Amino acid sequence: MAGLLANDSDQIDRRTSRSICDAVGERLQQRLRPDPRLPTHLEQLLDELKKCDRDLALI
């Protein structure tokens, strides 16, 4: 890796590097968006958990 850093003419400045990283991150977020809907079984478990929380709040 040190050999790669030895040649200064191949390096880019921090601002350019940050811009590239931001652009790659934005594209990854767009392509890897999770499915907004949960599987039915998970929805049922969450509903059950919410019900338990409400029941505990009444105690």
Side-chain angles (χ1 to χ4, degrees), residues 20-34:
I20 292 170
C21 289
D22 290 345
V24 169
E26 287 174 18
R27 288 184 183 151
L28 282 172
Q29 286 179 345
Q30 290 171 357
R31 292 188 183 265
L32 300 176
R33 289 193 193 275

Side-chain angles (χ1 to χ4, degrees):
M1 189 80 180
L4 292 174
L5 298 177
N7 188 352
D8 288 336
S9 65
D10 291 339
Q11 292 185 8
I12 58 175
D13 61 271
R14 286 179 181 248
R15 186 174 178 184
T16 303
S17 176
R18 182 78 259 159
S19 294
I20 292 170
C21 289
D22 290 345
V24 169
E26 287 174 18
R27 288 184 183 151
L28 282 172
Q29 286 179 345
Q30 290 171 357
R31 292 188 183 265
L32 300 176
R33 289 193 193 275
D35 186 4
R37 296 181 320 156
L38 291 174
T40 305
H41 182 68
L42 277 178
E43 285 285 352
Q44 291 170 347
L45 290 173
L46 283 172
D47 290 342
E48 189 176 328
L49 183 61
K50 289 175 189 174
K51 182 185 178 300
C52 289
D53 283 347
R54 283 193 304 266
D55 291 347
L56 285 175
L58 296 175
I59 295 177

